[in-house]
Amino acid sequence: YTSNKGSTHDSVAFTNSRLYSLLTEKAALLEDKGFYLLGDSAYNLTPFLLVPYSTDEVRDDSSNMCDAFNFFLSSSRIYIECAFGEVVMRWGILWRTLHFDLSKCQRIVQVCMLLHNHIKDESDTECNSIFNEDSDWRPARDSSATSGERAFPLVTDNNEQYGGGRPSAAQERNRLRGQLLRRSITVMLQLQGLQRPLHSGMRYNQYGHIFFDG
């Protein structure tokens, strides 16, 4: 991913990666083992990458199971989104545009991620005191009280699908296999009676993140 320009669509960057080539090569094995990745609506549906149902599909589904699938997929994805937020908030160099050539930007992002993972893995006492989540990056006061602005999460899920050109025969086969897998999971959710929780139980914390009252 880091070898692509910032203007490159997420789906294009993923398709151009070595990871995508490996996943495509091992697609049948992954499908047989029941392994797949979770992505947002910016990516194409494949048997190794499940994405949400479209807005039209959710609207036309009277059983609300497409919406249930989207809810649980998003709930599973939020952990990696939070991890990205941690990396960004930990390293100040990522708080603004990187005005370097692409190769140097790639190295900066990789180093930030490697150091972040090292800190998380080692759980060093000194590092934890330096990067304490309760003291370092959180705002000293509630800026919304003076600005009137509402707090929002660092990351959102408002990604647009990549139009691209006409899909190849292999891409179309992958899409159909992905649809079958996604539908089977949706039916499983329905059989277990799992749906999106009622809005009455939803609350927002001071950073704009949603949580549910017990």
Side-chain angles (χ1 to χ4, degrees):
Y1 282 122
T2 55
S3 61
N4 291 271
K5 294 181 178 180
S7 59
T8 303
H9 192 276
D10 291 350
S11 182
V12 175
F14 178 57
T15 304
N16 291 337
S17 69
R18 288 178 293 176
L19 174 61
Y20 182 85
S21 299
L22 179 62
L23 291 170
T24 301
E25 178 185 340
K26 303 294 184 181
L29 176 62
L30 294 171
E31 190 174 1
D32 182 61
K33 297 292 185 180
F35 295 141
Y36 46 81
L37 302 177
L38 303 177
D40 58 35
S41 55
Y43 298 93
N44 294 321
L45 176 64
T46 71
F48 54 79
L49 177 62
L50 298 183
V51 300
Y53 286 98
S54 68
T55 302
D56 291 340
E57 289 173 315
V58 172
R59 185 184 61 241
D60 296 338
D61 176 29
S62 59
S63 68
N64 292 326
M65 290 315 302
C66 290
D67 178 67
F69 176 89
N70 285 2
F71 171 78
F72 287 106
L73 181 143
S74 179
S75 298
S76 300
R77 284 186 50 250
I78 193 62
Y79 295 101
I80 186 61
E81 300 287 4
C82 290
F84 288 148
E86 284 187 34
V87 172
V88 171
M89 297 308 298
R90 173 160 282 164
W91 307 114
I93 194 171
L94 301 178
W95 297 356
R96 58 191 66 84
T97 303
L98 297 177
H99 294 289
F100 307 103
D101 60 77
L102 185 57
S103 61
K104 187 170 184 177
C105 290
Q106 179 181 358
R107 291 195 298 273
I108 290 172
V109 173
Q110 290 175 339
V111 167
C112 287
M113 289 187 169
L114 288 170
L115 290 174
H116 172 79
N117 289 341
H118 174 72
I119 293 170
K120 300 291 284 188
D121 290 341
E122 294 298 321
S123 298
D124 182 83
T125 303
E126 181 179 355
C127 288
N128 286 340
S129 65
I130 295 174
F131 299 109
N132 188 289
E133 293 183 353
D134 295 325
S135 62
D136 217 46
W137 57 268
R138 296 175 189 265
R141 59 187 178 84
D142 183 7
S143 59
S144 62
T146 55
S147 66
E149 295 180 349
R150 179 183 174 187
F152 289 96
L154 276 173
V155 290
T156 65
D157 196 18
N158 300 323
N159 295 301
E160 296 183 0
Q161 290 182 322
Y162 177 67
R166 182 176 180 178
S168 65
Q171 289 174 328
E172 182 62 17
R173 285 195 301 270
N174 274 338
R175 185 185 68 82
L176 293 175
R177 287 163 57 195
Q179 284 182 335
L180 289 174
L181 176 58
R182 184 173 65 178
R183 189 61 187 172
S184 68
I185 296 175
T186 303
V187 171
M188 183 176 64
L189 292 174
Q190 185 175 27
L191 292 175
Q192 296 182 7
L194 298 174
Q195 294 186 350
R196 178 188 294 270
L198 297 176
H199 288 282
S200 59
M202 294 174 59
R203 299 289 184 270
Y204 287 88
N205 66 15
Q206 59 181 318
Y207 305 108
H209 299 141
I210 294 175
F211 66 96
F212 294 91
D213 282 342

